[in-house]
């Protein structure tokens, strides 16, 4: 599980995460480190991933340019029913059992670009993106589309190591029905500097576990990300994750400082049947959950965590 930001009731420790070097020729060491990380907490650092630090700084700079725009300008690109565009503060509620209001963050969704008229655009997570006007943010779209392309290659490289850690063929996740036609979603995030207070149910991002295959998370130098390795522990132990340049149940606590991060969510294709992997089940260890179509599962999870768009229509009338 994860969660975001410092608070009056902050983490009790700082965790140390394994570091996966994608340029390392020792693939077995990478497999071992990743497997240990996934069994321990589900988080690890990725370095030498091929995306230059200079370009990452440009992506963050462009992200900041958007979020510093007036709210009325940002609302012109409000997210649509396909989750493309701007998500205002409090739009997302990740932990309804604990949070009294939504997350104190704003975001921007960018998905797989498929033009209108293409039969593929009828799928829930494919279609045209919502873009800020080029005259307002020149070069913004080009930067984000390039980052999407480069981040997807990183995700595929990580997926190959995951496959080996699961005793599968290295190209197991490269199949067309999996990452060959991936649902890849870029989300820019901005935490405005609200100080979180877990005792009052106030978080930058409430406790949650991501619901896709792989999440790549790039952060700035401001701390805030926390993870909980045992969601069933009473009380739960939350540990800080130190930001690393170039870089389970988690949350974000607001530290009183502005914070920016960039999440890249990678899921299988719409039609992929999500089910227990062959190396993870046996007669003595049967699957815990029935198979489900990827688009069905993702659509429900987005619906569960985001505000009804009709709420914004009422506010604007």
């Amino acid at each position: 599980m994860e969660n975001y930001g410092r608070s009056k009731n902050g983490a009790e420790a700082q965790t140390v995460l394994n570091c996966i070097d994608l340029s390392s020729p020792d693939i077995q060491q990478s497999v071992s480190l990743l497997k240990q990380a996934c069994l321990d907490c589900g988080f690890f650092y990725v370095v030498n991933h091929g995306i230059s630090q200079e370009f990452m700084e440009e992506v963050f700079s462009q992200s900041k340019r958007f979020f510093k725009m007036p709210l009325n300008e940002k609302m012109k690109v409000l997210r649509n029913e396909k989750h493309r565009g701007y998500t205002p503060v409090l739009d997302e509620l990740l932990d309804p059992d604990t949070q009294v209001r939504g997350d104190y963050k704003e975001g921007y969704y960018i998905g797989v670009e498929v033009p209108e008229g293409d039969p593929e655009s009828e799928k829930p997570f494919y279609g045209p993106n919502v873009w800020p006007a080029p005259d307002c943010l020149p070069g913004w779209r080009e930067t984000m589309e390039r980052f999407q392309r480069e981040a997807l290659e990183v995700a595929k490289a990580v997926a190959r190591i995951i496959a080996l850690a699961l005793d599968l063929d290295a190209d197991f996740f490269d199949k067309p029905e999996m990452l060959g036609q991936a649902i890849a979603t870029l989300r820019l995030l901005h935490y405005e500097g609200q100080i979180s207070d877990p005792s009052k149910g106030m978080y930058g991002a409430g406790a949650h576990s991501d619901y896709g295959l792989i999440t790549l998370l790039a952060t700035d130098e401001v701390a805030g990300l926390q993870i909980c390795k045992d969601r069933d522990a009473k009380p739960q132990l939350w540990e800080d994750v130190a930001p690393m340049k170039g870089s389970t149940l988690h949350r974000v606590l607001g530290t009183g400082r502005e914070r920016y991060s960039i999440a890249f969510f990678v899921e299988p294709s719409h039609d992929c049947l999500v089910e227990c992997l062959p190396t993870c089940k046996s007669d003595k260890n049967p699957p815990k959950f029935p198979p489900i179509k990827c688009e069905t599962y993702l659509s429900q999870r987005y619906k569960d965590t985001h505000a009804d768009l009709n709420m914004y229509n009422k506010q604007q009338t």
Side-chain angles (χ1 to χ4, degrees), residues 71-72 74-76 78-79 86-92 101-102 307-317:
L71 180 59
N72 67 313
K74 291 184 285 191
M75 290 299 286
K76 291 178 181 178
L78 179 69
R79 71 174 171 90
Y86 176 63
T87 55
V89 174
L90 305 181
D91 179 86
E92 190 172 18
R101 300 185 73 185
D308 187 335
L309 282 172
N310 291 323
M311 178 183 78
Y312 299 113
N313 295 330
K314 291 175 183 177
Q315 288 177 356
Q316 294 172 1
T317 56

Side-chain angles (χ1 to χ4, degrees), residues 154-165:
V154 176
K156 288 180 177 180
V158 172
R160 294 181 189 114
I161 301 175
I162 292 174
L164 292 172

Side-chain angles (χ1 to χ4, degrees), residues 21-261:
D21 184 345
L22 292 187
S23 69
S24 172
D26 190 346
I27 188 66
Q28 288 308 316
Q29 181 188 39
S30 296
V31 169
S32 177
L33 287 170
L34 183 144
K35 186 171 185 176
Q36 180 187 24
C38 290
L39 291 170
D40 180 43
C41 64
F43 281 79
F44 48 87
Y45 295 117
V46 175
V47 297
N48 293 325
H49 41 62
I51 303 179
S52 72
Q53 186 59 40
E54 182 181 33
F55 181 55
M56 284 304 312
E57 289 171 0
E58 172 64 15
V59 178
F60 272 99
S61 175
Q62 292 280 24
S63 175
K64 291 176 183 179
R65 287 175 64 203
F66 172 78
F67 288 119
K68 289 186 181 300
M69 292 172 63
L71 180 59
N72 67 313
E73 289 296 318
K74 291 184 285 191
M75 290 299 286
K76 291 178 181 178
V77 285
L78 179 69
R79 71 174 171 90
N80 58 23
E81 68 283 349
K82 288 201 171 189
H83 295 280
R84 309 296 179 93
Y86 176 63
T87 55
V89 174
L90 305 181
D91 179 86
E92 190 172 18
L93 181 65
L94 291 169
D95 186 11
D97 292 337
T98 303
Q99 291 177 261
V100 295
R101 300 185 73 185
D103 293 346
Y104 283 91
K105 70 175 188 290
E106 55 183 344
Y108 199 99
Y109 278 119
I110 302 167
V112 177
E113 180 78 28
V114 178
E116 285 186 18
D118 187 316
E120 290 289 295
S121 70
E122 299 300 315
K123 294 181 177 180
F125 297 96
Y126 281 0
N129 280 299
V130 176
W131 298 105
D135 56 337
C136 291
L137 296 174
W140 200 86
R141 173 176 177 171
E142 291 76 11
T143 297
M144 298 309 163
E145 289 185 324
R146 176 186 164 188
F147 180 72
Q148 269 192 311
R149 292 192 299 269
E150 295 192 15
L152 183 57
E153 292 308 307
V154 176
K156 288 180 177 180
V158 172
R160 294 181 189 114
I161 301 175
I162 292 174
L164 292 172
L166 290 165
D167 296 322
L168 299 166
D169 292 337
D171 64 354
F172 181 85
F173 293 110
D174 290 331
K175 299 172 185 175
E177 66 271 22
M178 293 191 183
L179 298 187
Q181 296 176 332
I183 298 173
T185 304
L186 171 62
R187 193 176 189 197
L188 310 175
L189 295 164
H190 173 222
Y191 302 86
E192 294 183 323
Q194 178 87 20
I195 297 178
S196 297
D197 188 348
S199 68
K200 295 180 179 178
M202 296 170 58
Y203 296 89
H208 64 286
S209 53
D210 291 348
Y211 35 82
L213 177 58
I214 295 172
T215 300
L216 301 179
L217 182 66
T219 65
D220 62 13
E221 74 285 356
V222 180
L225 177 65
Q226 297 180 333
I227 63 173
C228 174
K229 297 178 181 178
D230 183 0
R231 68 171 65 221
D232 297 320
K234 302 292 183 185
Q236 291 176 338
L237 173 64
W238 287 94
E239 301 177 68
D240 287 322
V241 178
M244 173 184 279
K245 244 194 177 347
S247 62
T248 280
L249 178 65
H250 48 294
R251 67 185 185 183
V252 180
L253 298 185
T255 63
R257 294 177 62 192
E258 272 192 301
R259 183 178 184 274
Y260 292 87
S261 64

